[in-house]
Amino acid sequence: MHGWIILDKPLGLGSTQAVAAVKRNLRSAGFGKVKVGHGGTLDPLATGVLPIALGEATKLCGRMLDASKTYDFTISFGKETSGLDAEGETVATSGQRPTLAQVEAALAQFIGPIEQIPPAYSAIKIDGQRAYDLARAGAVVEMKSRNVTVHDLCMRSVATVGALNAVTLTADVSKGTYIRSLARDIAYAVGTVGHVSMLRRTRAGPFSLQSAISLDKLNAFGQGATQEDIILPIEAGLVDIPALNLSPEQARAVQQGRVLTGIAMKDGLHWARGADLRPLALMENIDGIWKTVRGFNLTP
């Protein structure tokens, strides 16, 4: 069992719980013990695309964590919370509300490389402990700023005409970007405070909502429903990089861990496949030297 289940994670379900649900349903469907991992945490208060890797696809989880992601999110103005979301204690309030023009004008400064301070309630480790564990214990958590990239940021909808109580945006961001921090900083930029009241991930790397299934559909699979459209092949997580077709001799060399040369293609990551089109390895080409980054053990 190798491949991907792309879950449209529902509200209130944690990423670890989602992985447990996949394991449970695979066992119920008769697949026995399968190695399972996820490609990017989603908070319980967030919904949307959660790639869950099975078997050899778990070797790509690190690459999925590094991939860019797209989110729809709503900033509710007037209240900032300790977690920068709909939960947590109120830490600041403001009667100031921005106009649509003010929000639109502010967005430009958040597109491109930016610095942001992650939320105290985050999974970042500080001296070996998760920041959210320290924050929940009442410790003063000092978060260091980090460099991230916002590839695109645009308006989706607004709650009112005139002064805005809330605004919904779409952001395409690099790895490590915290949407809750982005929302906080946008609110500051328009002279008020705010928090994220809705967060939905619509894309994670090559996976979008179009390939995502509901928790109900996952549970139906565990109860005997057809596998169709439930489990995607391992190469579905590789469609955003070029394929490298290998001869039988080259394929054997890769399986033996040898470096390849003499293949004229662009530098960067590629996924190698043999004559039967099975993925053999994730490979990187640097100046004509091909080295294996991750090998896949997929039997015919």
Side-chain angles (χ1 to χ4, degrees), residues 78-179:
K79 182 176 75 171
E80 181 178 328
T81 66
S82 55
L84 302 179
D85 56 21
E87 288 187 340
E89 298 178 359
T90 299
V91 296
T93 59
S94 172
Q96 185 68 30
R97 299 291 183 273
T99 64
L100 177 60
Q102 288 174 323
V103 174
E104 289 179 330
L107 295 185
Q109 65 185 279
F110 295 98
I111 298 175
I114 64 170
E115 282 191 12
Q116 67 170 200
I117 298 175
Y121 286 83
S122 65
I124 293 173
K125 285 191 174 181
I126 300 175
D127 296 329
Q129 296 187 68
R130 298 290 184 186
Y132 55 65
D133 288 332
L134 294 171
R136 287 167 184 160
V140 177
V141 181
E142 184 177 349
M143 306 299 294
K144 295 181 179 179
S145 65
R146 58 167 56 188
N147 296 317
V148 297
T149 300
V150 178
H151 303 295
D152 194 23
L153 180 63
C154 61
M155 189 90 63
R156 283 185 61 85
S157 64
V158 296
T160 60
V161 176
L164 303 178
N165 292 315
V167 63
T168 299
L169 308 172
T170 295
D172 183 6
V173 300
S174 71
K175 69 170 184 176
T177 305
Y178 279 89
I179 298 298

Side-chain angles (χ1 to χ4, degrees), residues 244-287:
L244 173 65
N245 296 314
L246 300 180
S247 69
E249 183 179 350
Q250 290 169 331
R252 282 193 295 273
V254 168
Q255 289 172 320
Q256 293 167 2
R258 288 186 276 153
V259 172
L260 297 182
T261 59
I263 302 174
M265 291 184 72
K266 290 183 178 180
D267 282 3
L269 286 175
H270 298 67
W271 64 280
R273 60 188 180 187
D276 60 2
L277 303 183
R278 283 185 299 115
L280 294 176
L282 182 66
M283 303 191 72
E284 186 173 19
N285 178 29
I286 302 176
D287 296 330

